[in-house]
Amino acid sequence: MSTAVTNYQCPSCTGPLHFSAATGKLECEFCESSFTPEEIEQLYSSKVEQAEENFTEKQEWTEDGVIQMVCPSCGAELICGENDASVGCPYCGNPSVVPGQFSGMQKPDLIIPFSKTKDEAIEALKKHYKGRFLLPRSFKNQHHIEEIQGVYVPFWFYDGEASADVLFKCTNSRTYRSGDYRVTETDHYDVFRAGKMQFSQVPVDASTRMPDKHMDAIEPYDYSEFKPFSTAYLPGFLANRYDVTPDECKPRAQERCCESVVNALRGTVNGYSGCTVGNKTTQMSFSKVEHGLLPVWMLYTKWKNKNYLFAMNGQTGKVVGDLPVSWVKLLSIFLSTSVALTALLSLFFE
Ligand SMILES: [Zn+2]
Ligand SMILES: [Zn+2]
């Protein structure tokens, strides 16, 4: 029997605890007690450490890349995926954590806990759908909407300095009349600028499961709410390990920072009617990289073999989502309007 999985039990009644986004505390559904993550972490540190040790020593993965574990609450079989650090039991619904998934290099430094609740995420999703008459029915199904899940997504945060040398090609033009001609005179200028900027905690998402464009779109997060990482924030949410290394993510951070420096330099070039970027060289040196988890509410909807993702920032509530249009509905609207139109026209010509 594997003990690499553990849960946080209520110190008053031993019921399972889950982290509440509304209060920022671990709560017990049975006796309604609540505890701060720090209190719980202290109380269960040896239990969590033990589960972490068990994981690294004798974990047996199946060929599908999953591990079978036993739910500490009800004894049912739990399936834990390759990158899952937090699992919900399909039988009793109680949350468990797999601390070993976050050991060694995988251990996050920081976490922003959820502050938007599941109810708020459902509300936001319904609002997102509101007025979209052409949305296929499977999206609006209440059962499906309730499957929305809170996921801690792994990120790398980079500190560093980016510098750029840029040659801007600038112009000033004036137009005047001379006899029958309209004359335009253009002066060309080479404007040179160089500068550097310091960056701290530039985020790049470190999971291939999350589409980059969605993650970029639900930023920003307020980093002043970063807390030192603890598995006590996980019960009730999913948490993923990173599967893209800090070195692999570096180019994205570099691109972002260098672009910011070039834009800042561009902002100092004034007094020209036209300005484009000519030759440029950019450089970036990194001084620190940290690993952190950010909260995201998300729901995938499969429709016609395509996945559509709704995502909401679990801290600020900012949403992003792509939606299809149901051609059946569109066609029926088109047909009913054209039937009405034909009826109107025939009435008109009679
Ligand atoms: Zn309790
Ligand atoms: Zn269970």
Side-chain angles (χ1 to χ4, degrees), residues 232-247:
Y233 293 106
L234 307 184
F237 300 98
L238 299 180
N240 294 339
R241 282 153 53 100
Y242 71 80
D243 57 1
V244 194
T245 66
D247 277 344

Side-chain angles (χ1 to χ4, degrees), residues 52 73 92 100 106 142 189 211 217 221 226 249 267 286 301 327 333:
E52 187 173 337
S73 301
C92 70
Q106 282 283 353
Q142 184 66 24
Y189 303 88
Y221 282 86
F226 261 135
C249 287
F286 293 94
T301 310
W327 292 105
I333 289 176

Side-chain angles (χ1 to χ4, degrees), residues 71-76 78 89-94:
C71 172
S73 301
C74 75
L78 274 184
C89 173
Y91 298 95
C92 70
N94 289 325

Side-chain angles (χ1 to χ4, degrees), residues 9-17 27-33 35:
Q9 286 169 332
C10 172
S12 316
C13 77
T14 72
L17 295 172
E27 293 183 345
C28 171
E29 270 171 42
F30 293 96
C31 73
E32 295 182 355
S33 305
F35 310 88

